Amino acid sequence: MTWQKSIVSLTVALKLLATTAGVAAAEVQQPNPRQPRSHSAIGGEIYQLAGFTPPANLGKPPTAGGGSRGGYCARDVALPNSRVPLTPLVPALGEGDEGDWGLTVSERPTFFVYVPATTARQAEFVLRDEDWNDIYRTQLSISGEAGIVRVSMPKSKEALVLGKNYRWHFALVCPESDRGFVNEITVEGWTRRVELDPDLATKLDGKTALTRSSIYADNGIWLDALSALADSLLDSPEDSALVEAWENLLASAGLAKIADRPIVLTSSDRTP
């Protein structure tokens, strides 16, 4: 019976070893939270959660790059949902060159800004070229509720030039202070229109918003990745797959603090 006991002991030891190895392998293979994860979309299409991959070797704009984080109007401090300041939705991945751009393939892109709860009821958006010439300027009516505002360039404005850098500003026009002063809280970002690669265009053709956003994000085309999901979210705000993809996209670009904030409509959504 001794040899039988030995076989049983060996078998148990091997099972324990296999179990331990399996757990270790599972721990090693845990996905990186910044990387896209595969999911099954409605209708059977396989898509990935959009995870932003910064474009490489673009350098910085000729003047100050990146997106500044703003403050609050003087009377906003006591308001709920005002802890996160006015923030442009541009990648916030660090101090390197790769985190400062919001690229687009669109002739007239859409820009996004998080607006905290505010006493301001007016905002201004300005898009300029590198020589400080106005390309697009508009006044926006806002409700004062916290949320992500989008500003779309109208078709009547000239298209962005391929390869050119553009600087945009978004300002809250604060109410008069007790001393009669009116100030503005401003944030900014940079964009550049790049050419849509034919192979990428083929991959995008006929795909859902979820898949298009993932493809754009994986290729560093930030503004179009946002727009693809935002348009669908406004139509279907309760779609859990869209919500998850949106939150994952913002978190992957260092914007996790505002990833769960709603997209709100403004007067710019009615601009022809």
Side-chain angles (χ1 to χ4, degrees):
M1 297 296 292
T2 302
W3 64 271
Q4 291 178 327
K5 292 181 179 179
S6 299
I7 291 176
V8 171
S9 299
L10 180 60
T11 301
V12 172
L14 289 173
K15 288 183 177 179
L16 288 172
L17 182 61
T19 301
T20 303
V23 171
E27 291 177 349
V28 171
Q29 295 174 4
Q30 287 297 318
N32 184 331
R34 284 187 178 274
Q35 297 300 318
R37 293 170 290 154
S38 294
H39 288 265
S40 295
I42 297 173
E45 178 183 348
I46 302 300
Y47 69 92
Q48 289 184 320
L49 286 178
F52 180 65
T53 300
N57 302 320
L58 286 174
K60 287 183 177 292
T63 58
S68 59
R69 270 56 184 167
Y72 314 89
C73 293
R75 300 181 182 182
D76 293 350
V77 178
L79 295 177
N81 296 319
S82 63
R83 293 182 180 179
V84 180
L86 184 68
T87 305
L89 268 64
V90 294
L93 301 177
E95 299 298 327
D97 293 347
E98 297 177 351
D100 292 334
W101 292 89
L103 297 186
T104 183
V105 295
S106 300
E107 293 183 345
R108 298 168 186 84
T110 297
F111 303 86
F112 297 82
V113 180
Y114 171 69
V115 178
T118 180
T119 51
R121 291 297 180 269
Q122 292 290 323
E124 183 178 54
F125 176 87
V126 183
L127 177 69
R128 296 185 173 102
D129 62 20
E130 291 181 8
D131 297 322
W132 215 248
N133 299 309
D134 279 14
I135 302 301
Y136 177 50
R137 179 186 292 265
T138 187
Q139 298 287 327
L140 309 174
S141 297
I142 57 175
S143 66
E145 64 180 302
I148 295 171
V149 170
R150 64 177 189 171
V151 183
S152 301
M153 287 185 66
K155 294 179 180 179
S156 58
K157 297 300 178 180
E158 63 180 274
L160 301 189
V161 179
L162 282 169
K164 296 292 185 180
N165 299 322
Y166 295 87
R167 190 174 188 173
W168 58 272
H169 303 259
F170 184 95
L172 290 179
V173 182
C174 298
E176 287 188 9
S177 68
D178 295 335
R179 297 182 180 181
F181 295 114
V182 176
N183 70 311
E184 294 185 351
I185 305 300
T186 305
V187 293
E188 65 181 36
W190 282 89
T191 190
R192 179 192 294 177
R193 181 186 165 204
V194 295
E195 191 168 5
L196 181 60
D197 181 86
D199 291 337
L200 188 59
T202 299
K203 292 179 181 178
L204 292 164
D205 187 38
K207 298 298 190 299
T208 64
L210 283 165
T211 299
R212 292 200 312 275
S213 179
S214 180
I215 293 171
Y216 281 131
D218 192 46
N219 286 272
I221 305 172
W222 174 249
L223 291 181
D224 300 86
L226 282 179
S227 295
L229 286 181
D231 290 343
S232 295
L233 271 173
L234 286 170
D235 292 334
S236 305
E238 304 301 322
D239 189 315
S240 59
L242 291 171
V243 171
E244 184 183 11
W246 176 262
E247 292 180 353
N248 185 80
L249 176 60
L250 266 61
S252 73
L255 298 166
K257 289 184 178 180
I258 56 178
D260 63 344
R261 305 305 166 96
I263 302 172
V264 298
L265 297 177
T266 70
S267 54
S268 70
D269 290 293
R270 297 186 294 274
T271 302

